[in-house]
């Protein structure tokens, strides 16, 4: 499979996707989102892959959806074609996805990072949803996801003015998991991805489902779901291996399927 807007590699059990439209600061056009979904489909199917890492360049993770592609669009054409409707598939993936963000993560670029399971940011990263400055609003879940993470006051502050925040503010308000020096971003994110990929696949995917439940329903329903998943995990060989290895004082070797 060849890609025009991405670089796609495999590093051990980690699938690495690098957004690659440097001439447009990785602005996300239809081709890029389609190729990204194809790459993620491949990693979802591949039993050798346990975690996916999505990154951009030092200057931009992605500076938004491609404004030049959108500028002349009209309703109802966008509605009938379900323009940009495929974006949300990124958030539906079952394997964990980490976003490693340096430079600009704006508009759809920030929304893409928010669809990943967590963000590791370079100290150069800037996050924002500046759509209001273009006379539009975010449409790929950014309003919902940002508001859930940072609360109403900061979300309103950012969305209504279109201002961006730096990596440290993003870490303080829970948007990013941690901030690392820009020249260590890929190494740190890859290290994190390798650690996740070395765990039990079943346990990792069940954890992702349980965490995602937090946003979807009541606490009582979430607790019930988590308990059922916990009970189900005792049907897996990885549970026997993980607990057996602890008792035997050796490192666990989890199956890859
Ligand atoms: N789209 C297209 N081209 C872009 C771009 C973008 N978002 N951002 C940058 N570029 C292009 C520039 O036009 C320029 O191209 P040339 O002029 O050289 O041909 C090149 O990248 C370099 O950019 P600059 O010269 O502007 O670079 P600077 O370092 O001076 O400035 C910047 C960097 C990031 C501050 C600036 O480029 C900028 O403000 N960019 C636009 C940021 C923005 O407004 N982003 C939000 C776009 S709206 C949805 C899904 C997604 C969305 C909505 C719905 N659904 C699923 C329904 C999302 C909407 C958006 O993201």
């Amino acid at each position: 499979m060849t890609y025009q807007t991405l670089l796609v590699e495999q590093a051990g059990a980690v699938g690495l996707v690098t957004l690659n439209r440097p001439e447009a600061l990785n602005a996300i056009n239809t081709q890029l989102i389609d190729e990204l979904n194809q790459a993620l489909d491949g990693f979802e199917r591949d039993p050798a892959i346990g975690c996916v890492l999505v990154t951009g360049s030092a200057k931009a993770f992605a500076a938004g959806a491609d404004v030049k592609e959108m500028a002349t669009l009209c309703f109802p054409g966008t509605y009938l074609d379900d323009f940009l409707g495929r974006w949300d598939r990124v958030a539906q993936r079952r394997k964990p996805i980490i976003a490693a963000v340096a430079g600009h993560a704006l508009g759809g670029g920030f929304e893409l990072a928010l669809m990943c399971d967590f963000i590791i940011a370079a100290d150069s990263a800037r996050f924002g949803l500046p759509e209001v400055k273009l006379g539009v609003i975010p449409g790929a879940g950014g309003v919902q996801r940002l508001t859930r993470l940072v609360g109403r006051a900061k979300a309103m502050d950012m969305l209504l003015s279109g201002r961006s925040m730096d990596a440290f503010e993003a870490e303080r308000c829970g948007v990013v998991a941690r901030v690392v020096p820009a020249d260590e971003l890929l190494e740190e994110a890859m290290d994190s991805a390798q650690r996740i990929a070395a765990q039990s696949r079943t346990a990792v995917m069940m954890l992702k489902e349980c965490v995602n439940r937090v946003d979807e329903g009541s606490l009582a329903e979430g607790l019930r779901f988590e308990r059922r998943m916990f009970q189900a995990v005792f049907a897996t060989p990885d549970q026997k291996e993980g607990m057996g290895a602890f008792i035997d004082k050796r490192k666990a070797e989890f199956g890859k399927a």
Side-chain angles (χ1 to χ4, degrees):
M1 182 78 208
T2 53
Y3 299 93
Q4 261 125 51
T5 62
L6 308 175
L7 303 173
V8 179
E9 301 157 66
Q10 183 174 339
V14 176
L16 173 63
V17 180
T18 307
L19 310 184
N20 188 34
R21 292 188 73 213
E23 72 287 357
L25 300 184
N26 293 332
I28 303 170
N29 60 8
T30 303
Q31 183 181 17
L32 189 148
I33 202 71
D34 285 349
E35 290 190 353
L36 178 60
N37 273 315
Q38 279 167 28
L40 295 179
D41 285 344
F43 288 142
E44 285 271 296
R45 279 194 303 267
D46 186 344
I49 296 294
C51 187
V52 177
L53 187 55
V54 178
T55 194
S57 69
K59 183 154 187 209
F61 177 74
D66 192 317
V67 179
K68 293 166 189 168
E69 187 181 56
M70 291 187 289
T72 57
L73 295 177
C74 292
F75 192 84
T78 50
Y79 178 76
L80 292 172
D81 295 346
D82 195 20
F83 179 65
L84 301 180
R86 275 94 71 199
W87 282 55
D88 211 44
R89 287 194 58 221
V90 176
Q92 310 303 328
R93 304 297 166 160
R94 300 184 71 215
K95 290 183 180 173
I97 307 179
I98 303 173
V101 175
H104 302 287
L106 299 176
F110 187 17
E111 291 179 296
L112 173 61
L114 288 171
M115 286 179 199
C116 299
D117 296 307
F118 64 94
I119 301 171
I120 300 179
D123 50 14
S124 64
R126 289 200 71 83
F127 300 89
L129 293 171
E131 282 85 346
V132 73
K133 296 185 196 169
L134 299 172
V136 296
I137 66 171
V143 177
Q144 308 306 312
R145 292 194 175 97
L146 180 70
T147 307
R148 279 179 161 81
L149 284 175
V150 306
R152 179 185 169 86
K154 196 179 278 285
M156 287 288 192
D157 172 25
M158 293 188 66
L159 288 161
L160 301 183
S161 66
R163 82 166 176 92
S164 58
M165 59 181 164
D166 66 21
F168 300 100
E169 183 180 358
E171 186 183 30
R172 280 197 302 279
C173 64
V175 167
V176 311
R178 59 196 151 98
V179 182
V180 300
D183 57 1
E184 293 169 22
L185 175 66
L186 200 55
E187 192 186 331
E188 288 279 341
M190 186 54 83
D191 187 53
S192 183
Q194 300 281 14
R195 276 170 202 264
I196 292 168
Q199 308 304 329
S200 159
R201 296 279 154 81
T202 328
V204 163
M205 287 165 68
M206 282 178 168
L207 274 171
K208 175 167 170 164
E209 254 195 285
C210 287
V211 174
N212 285 340
R213 280 280 160 136
V214 172
D215 287 336
E216 288 168 7
S218 66
L219 176 62
E221 205 279 323
L223 291 173
R224 207 163 24 246
F225 181 80
E226 186 173 324
R227 194 163 56 245
R228 289 286 170 270
M229 284 285 133
F230 174 76
Q231 290 160 350
V233 91
F234 284 84
T236 66
D238 286 346
Q239 175 269 328
K240 303 286 175 292
E241 169 63 13
M243 292 190 176
F246 173 79
I247 291 165
D248 298 345
K249 299 187 186 301
R250 61 179 172 80
K251 188 175 182 311
E253 294 290 338
F254 294 117
K256 295 300 169 224

